[in-house]
Amino acid sequence: MKIIAIANQKGGVGKTATSVNLAAGLASKGYKTLLIDLDSQRNATNTLIPPETITTTLADVLVGDNNRQPLENAIYETPIDNLDLVPAHIRLAKIERFIEIEEQFRLKDGINNLTDYDLVILDCPPTLGMTLTQALLASHYVIVPIAADYYSHEGVIDLNESLQKARRGNPQLQILGYVMTRYDSRMRVAKESLQLTQDKYQELAFSSVIRELAAIKTAPAMRLTVYEYDPSGDGSADYTAFTEEVVTRLELENTANKGIHLVEQTSAKKRKAS
Ligand SMILES: Nc1ncnc2c1ncn2[C@@H]1O[C@H](COP(=O)(O)OP(=O)(O)OP(=O)(O)O)[C@@H](O)[C@H]1O
Ligand SMILES: [Mg+2]
């Protein structure tokens, strides 16, 4: 099982769009994938599950001292084959207060008890707080979406500080790559931002770029991934290419570091949305 955080504390850069469409893309390739929504705004949750079906959320797993639920109890099937989701809740914002060391590892411990998944994707909130810390302590890799816009690179410096801190408790944490999102080739700033991303991050910059497209923006309002909303469109093409690049990088990492194949035998056990 590989755990990937999609993180950038800058708001609106495409973390959720990337989390949802990467997770769905990986699932369509046959990987058993779990998407965990760590953002109390619940955007990923609302895209994939009708709110009225949700009874247990990540907040019931992470928040409070007594009567917390195991992570398994907060897993819901989505309409997409091979893709399950752990929904967020507004109460997740409570994690942002100072927490004890033990509490910082609640997410990690919860995920490590799961056996059914090849890949876990964490949609992180747009803050540098305790929720992000828990995500970084739980992850093997981080993917950083960067919007092709003014000041898009400034926030990454702060994220790097968080990564350095998280490595004290999670030394294996690596950046899998930086992905340019919301790219509009008609804008000079977008081209400059892309050039800067490639110059700065070199081979860590994904070669696939996610364009600014109406289909990517509209799909969540229809509670759909971009593949379902516009199967033959540019948004599907961009996220399919990106998904393939992610798989290639993960496989390279596995071969280089561990000599094991990414896809492990899994027993399918799913919880129906109740
Ligand atoms: N490639 C894209 N093309 C067009 N619109 C996009 C694209 N990516 C994201 N958006 C839209 O931009 C807004 C912000 O995107 P998204 O929610 O994915 O960002 P985020 O980083 O998760 O935001 P937050 O920091 O609030 O969690 C949303 O309305 C989304 O639909
Ligand atoms: Mg988001």
Side-chain angles (χ1 to χ4, degrees):
M1 184 166 69
K2 289 290 167 204
I3 304 155
I4 307 173
I6 313 296
N8 184 342
Q9 81 287 353
K10 198 166 173 353
V13 298
K15 291 180 290 295
T16 300
T18 299
S19 299
V20 168
N21 292 307
L22 172 63
L26 292 165
S28 77
K29 288 185 158 294
Y31 298 105
K32 286 278 301 170
T33 305
L34 179 67
L35 173 60
I36 303 184
D37 187 354
L38 283 160
D39 189 353
S40 56
Q41 297 177 102
R42 298 188 298 257
N43 295 338
T45 301
N46 289 337
T47 306
L48 291 168
I49 298 191
E52 63 275 11
T53 63
I54 298 170
T55 51
T56 308
T57 73
L58 188 62
D60 299 306
V61 179
L62 298 184
V63 182
D65 292 321
N66 302 314
N67 304 322
R68 283 186 298 111
Q69 300 271 338
L71 186 60
E72 295 91 296
N73 288 6
I75 295 177
Y76 290 80
E77 265 187 347
T78 74
I80 294 155
D81 280 350
N82 292 324
L83 180 61
D84 293 349
L85 175 117
V86 174
H89 189 275
I90 187 75
R91 275 199 308 133
L92 274 176
K94 288 195 178 172
I95 304 177
E96 294 305 322
R97 69 183 166 76
F98 175 79
I99 55 177
E100 304 285 329
I101 301 262
E102 175 274 324
E103 294 173 63
Q104 296 187 17
F105 289 94
R106 281 180 181 173
L107 180 66
K108 181 185 170 78
D109 293 344
I111 295 172
N112 285 348
N113 282 332
L114 303 177
T115 52
D116 286 352
Y117 298 98
D118 301 309
L119 292 160
V120 180
I121 305 292
L122 307 178
D123 182 17
C124 295
T127 42
L128 286 172
M130 284 298 166
T131 314
L132 179 66
T133 301
Q134 289 216 36
L136 297 180
L137 288 172
S139 297
H140 300 106
Y141 301 105
V142 183
I143 291 175
V144 185
I146 301 177
D149 204 347
Y150 293 105
Y151 312 121
S152 54
H153 290 263
E154 288 180 5
V156 179
I157 296 164
D158 300 326
L159 179 66
N160 280 337
E161 279 176 24
S162 300
L163 289 169
Q164 290 302 339
K165 284 185 196 152
R167 283 199 182 102
R168 289 187 211 154
N170 180 15
Q172 61 165 353
L173 181 66
Q174 288 184 49
I175 293 183
L176 193 67
Y178 297 84
V179 59
M180 183 104 294
T181 59
R182 315 201 62 175
Y183 180 79
D184 182 347
S185 62
R186 295 166 303 181
M187 307 288 286
R188 201 177 81 185
V189 63
K191 288 184 182 156
E192 287 170 1
S193 188
L194 179 59
Q195 189 64 51
L196 185 59
T197 302
Q198 288 166 344
D199 292 347
K200 208 167 167 181
Y201 303 116
Q202 309 265 328
E203 71 279 3
L204 275 182
F206 283 99
S207 38
S208 24
V209 168
I210 311 297
R211 286 169 282 183
E212 174 83 10
L213 295 165
I216 297 174
K217 194 175 202 64
T218 311
M222 305 292 164
R223 298 191 185 283
L224 297 172
T225 66
V226 73
Y227 315 108
E228 299 163 296
Y229 179 70
D230 189 15
S232 55
D234 290 339
S236 296
D238 287 358
Y239 271 114
T240 299
F242 173 62
T243 301
E244 279 166 10
E245 223 183 329
V246 168
V247 169
T248 304
R249 286 193 187 194
L250 287 172
E251 284 181 343
L252 284 176
E253 285 290 335
N254 269 306
T255 322
N257 294 340
K258 321 236 165 35
I260 55 165
H261 194 262
L262 181 65
V263 188
E264 291 147 10
Q265 285 294 329
T266 57
S267 63
K269 179 167 70 70
K270 281 192 180 183
R271 176 172 305 270
K272 289 263 181 227
S274 53

